[in-house]
Amino acid sequence: DLNVQVQGTTTGGTTTGNYIATGAWTQVGFAFDGSGVDNAAKLSIYIAGVSRTVTFIGTMPTVTASNTQPAYLGQVGTDTLFMDGKMAEFAIWQRVLLAAEFAALHNRFAPTFFRRGLVSYLPLVRGVVDICGAASITDDTSAADHPAIIRPAGWSSATAL
């Protein structure tokens, strides 16, 4: 199961199924569009490039909270609950990605192919910090066995977005 929860509430969504195999890299993506008419139109969860069925708890908001609180990847806030796995190629856009873009990300295309609205990109496996400069990280320890990523021509870690 994969869960996403709106900070400070019990509202969220869950996928059920054996979509993520132990010991294998799996592309996971979330799309939020507050203008949707219902929960399913507001939040989508993509696993391995495919939109999955989401079971919702509560009503998804029309906007996300704007705050200066840190975001935690693979951890529930400052709690001691951690993801049992590794993370790489993390990116945030200020727009909803298309299904075809999620599929391309699953097929190893780098987030830098989809620059429109890209505000944060953390490869996490190649000694590169946030390509967009929007975040700081203190650890770069993801697995060396991560599959090769297809990058745009002329791309380098020094290339500003």
Side-chain angles (χ1 to χ4, degrees), residues 21-76:
T22 301
W25 287 98
T26 304
Q27 181 267 343
V28 175
F30 303 93
F32 174 78
D33 181 357
S35 68
V37 296
D38 59 16
N39 282 344
K42 290 180 182 178
L43 176 68
S44 299
I45 299 177
Y46 288 80
I47 302 173
V50 177
S51 180
R52 304 299 177 172
T53 300
V54 180
T55 302
F56 293 95
I57 299 169
T59 302
M60 297 302 295
T62 56
V63 295
T64 57
S66 176
N67 60 51
T68 58
Q69 299 301 312
Y72 296 93
L73 306 178
Q75 180 183 5
V76 178

Side-chain angles (χ1 to χ4, degrees), residues 122-152:
L122 302 150
L124 301 175
V125 292
R126 288 167 190 79
V128 178
V129 183
D130 184 4
I131 300 302
C132 300
S136 62
I137 58 172
T138 57
D139 198 0
D140 184 7
T141 57
S142 288
D145 63 345
H146 185 270
I149 298 298
I150 301 166
R151 307 247 181 242

Side-chain angles (χ1 to χ4, degrees), residues 104-119:
L105 292 169
H106 167 67
N107 288 317
R108 299 184 6 239
F109 282 83
T112 48
F113 273 97
F114 313 105
R115 292 179 181 228
R116 185 174 58 85
L118 181 62
V119 295

